[in-house]
Amino acid sequence: MSNKLVLVLNCGSSSLKFAIIDALTGDDQISGLAECFGLEDSRIKWKVNGAKHDASLGAFTAHREAVEYIVNNILGAHPQIAEQIQAIGHRVVHGGEKFTHSVIIDESVVQGIEDCATLAPLHNPAHLIGIRAAQASFPELPQVAVFDTAFHQTMPEKAFIYALPYKLYRENAIRRYGMHGTSHLFISRETAAALGKDEADTNVICAHLGNGASVTAIKGGKSVDTSMGLTPLEGLVMGTRCGDMDPSIIYHLVNRLGYTLDEVNNLLNKQSGLLGISELTNDCRGIEEGYEKGHKGATLALEIFCYRLAKYIASYTVPLERLDAVVFTGGIGENSDVIREKVLNSLAIFNFKVDKERNTAARFGKQGKITKDEGPVAMVIPTNEEWVIAQDAVALIK
């Protein structure tokens, strides 16, 4: 059989992204999103060969019911696709130090994912629900877990150890893990191909920018430093996450302002970032619209977002020694020519020269170089985490 189809599942706390991917070509046969779980207006929308569909899932649907809908209603209507599925690939955010590569799921793997749930409390529990639902619906197919943290397990100790008592790492595994590893891995491979270089001889700084955002220094195809930490909270300014800050702020909020620890956790993860600064929205498109209209909060949010990102990119030249390209990806990185230009202009010390025509053209799924030919290279490459998951799944089941 020429194609090797994999059903890829990405379970969030109240949503489920899915796609049936050809591991050989990266083409998706079916893709979609089920969302608003637990609410009366939970819905599912999907595309089959470009044709769009949507339906109500009914009140208070959850992951199990969504998977059953995919199996019975969507795949049931396309048996010629369903019968070619060889494996189920699951995106899992946190694998701790236990999982350094993708694995076929068994009960020990499920336990390992559960053990890491305290490191990603919004994500890992949802992944487990999705895994159980998929096992029930596809008992005959192998299930594969692909971890966001795995790609970053090549970081040296000087990059992942916090300046805390070392026993906290030795006894409790408190360290930097990083996220978005599947995306950064894909970009590393694609950048080398775009530059006509061997991946082992390509040094890249990859900025994965979305509602969650991270930067990774990739040397010879391996992660050597990354901005997210023990959890996805550290690093860049994000949609609702604060990123880097003085940890003593937590004690000030609790002891001086009367916040509970749960309220602080909610504040830092869900009320901060672009939303908190702008007091307008966490959606970057809304931030850019506000910026264009002179909205003070949106303007400040955009400036801080770009400034923090530029600082990280500059600092990540340290472990690379030589920089072949800065690459933007993710929803914001792929579509916001405004943010890309602001960031690169802030890196004037490196002599980046934005080509406005190229920068404007490289949006909405378009790949390309966005700088002038006479200076350092910056480019846009759309990410495809689902393809990496499908490739890993097929490789493992062989």
Side-chain angles (χ1 to χ4, degrees):
M1 189 177 294
S2 60
N3 60 347
K4 298 186 180 298
L5 300 188
V6 176
L7 171 58
V8 176
L9 298 179
N10 180 356
C11 293
S13 57
S14 61
S15 65
L16 189 161
K17 288 176 64 177
F18 63 95
I20 296 176
I21 304 285
D22 188 326
L24 296 178
T25 65
D27 296 332
D28 59 83
Q29 309 285 318
I30 299 175
S31 62
L33 171 68
E35 57 187 342
C36 301
F37 293 167
L39 302 176
E40 293 186 11
D41 60 345
S42 60
R43 299 191 62 78
I44 186 168
K45 52 187 178 183
W46 69 98
K47 291 192 300 182
V48 182
N49 297 322
K52 296 181 179 180
H53 310 269
D54 69 274
S56 172
L57 288 173
F60 311 115
T61 291
H63 299 82
R64 176 67 178 266
E65 292 82 3
V67 171
E68 289 175 351
Y69 187 96
I70 294 168
V71 173
N72 297 328
N73 297 76
I74 300 177
L75 294 181
H78 300 279
Q80 74 283 6
I81 294 176
E83 65 188 16
Q84 297 179 56
I85 297 174
Q86 299 190 11
I88 315 297
H90 297 267
R91 179 226 180 182
V92 180
V93 164
H94 219 302
E97 288 191 316
K98 183 176 180 65
F99 299 107
T100 59
H101 51 77
S102 302
V103 293
I104 293 177
I105 296 172
D106 58 20
E107 284 306 309
S108 67
V109 171
V110 169
Q111 184 60 53
I113 295 170
E114 189 170 340
D115 291 343
C116 294
T118 56
L119 302 176
L122 297 179
H123 298 91
N124 276 31
H127 300 323
L128 288 169
I129 294 171
I131 288 169
R132 290 301 194 196
Q135 287 175 329
S137 295
F138 300 96
E140 76 288 357
L141 291 179
Q143 314 266 333
V144 173
V146 180
F147 299 89
D148 275 8
T149 50
F151 179 61
H152 301 299
Q153 288 296 302
T154 53
M155 288 191 294
E157 274 198 319
K158 65 183 179 181
F160 72 72
I161 292 292
Y162 289 116
L164 296 168
Y166 192 80
K167 68 177 182 179
L168 287 173
Y169 166 62
R170 184 174 57 245
E171 298 174 7
N172 304 104
I174 293 177
R175 52 159 286 184
R176 179 187 310 280
Y177 288 99
M179 313 294 158
H180 297 139
T182 309
S183 175
H184 291 300
L185 170 60
F186 179 81
I187 295 302
S188 173
R189 294 171 177 172
E190 291 296 301
T191 303
L195 296 175
K197 295 171 64 70
D198 189 281
E199 189 179 359
D201 188 41
T202 304
N203 293 354
V204 180
I205 295 175
C206 175
H208 177 108
L209 309 177
N211 195 50
S214 66
V215 185
T216 294
I218 305 170
K219 185 175 183 179
K222 299 183 183 299
S223 171
V224 292
D225 209 343
T226 193
S227 59
M228 283 182 168
L230 177 75
T231 75
L233 184 61
E234 187 181 358
L236 301 176
V237 173
M238 302 175 226
T240 62
R241 299 178 200 142
C242 61
D244 293 342
M245 67 167 203
D246 180 352
S248 290
I249 291 173
I250 295 172
Y251 299 96
H252 187 84
L253 291 170
V254 172
N255 297 330
R256 294 291 184 89
L257 302 182
Y259 281 74
T260 67
L261 287 176
D262 283 342
E263 287 171 339
V264 171
N265 187 51
N266 187 65
L267 175 80
L268 301 183
N269 280 284
K270 297 183 178 180
Q271 300 175 29
S272 300
L274 296 177
L275 174 64
I277 299 167
S278 70
E279 299 181 317
L280 181 66
T281 180
N282 68 301
D283 191 316
C284 192
R285 291 167 294 189
I287 295 294
E288 287 192 28
E289 289 173 8
Y291 167 74
E292 292 169 1
K293 295 176 182 176
H295 186 281
K296 185 176 180 181
T299 300
L300 181 60
L302 192 70
E303 294 288 349
I304 293 173
F305 182 92
C306 294
Y307 178 65
R308 182 82 64 86
L309 174 56
K311 285 205 301 180
Y312 258 100
I313 291 173
S315 71
Y316 279 1
T317 60
V318 173
L320 293 186
E321 300 172 356
R322 184 196 78 244
L323 178 62
D324 294 312
V326 170
V327 183
F328 296 90
T329 194
I332 297 172
E334 294 169 25
N335 296 307
S336 179
D337 54 327
V338 173
I339 285 176
R340 296 191 304 243
E341 182 172 4
K342 277 185 168 294
V343 170
L344 292 173
N345 286 343
S346 296
L347 294 167
I349 193 169
F350 296 103
N351 203 31
F352 281 100
K353 297 179 179 179
V354 177
D355 185 307
K356 285 186 175 291
E357 187 173 327
R358 288 175 174 176
N359 191 31
T360 301
R363 293 183 295 166
F364 315 128
K366 301 288 180 60
Q367 174 176 321
K369 184 177 176 181
I370 60 173
T371 45
K372 297 182 183 297
D373 292 333
E374 61 268 25
V377 175
M379 57 199 310
V380 175
I381 297 179
T383 194
N384 194 335
E385 296 162 279
E386 290 80 9
W387 191 6
V388 174
I389 293 170
Q391 288 174 322
D392 278 12
V394 167
L396 279 171
I397 65 174
K398 284 183 178 178

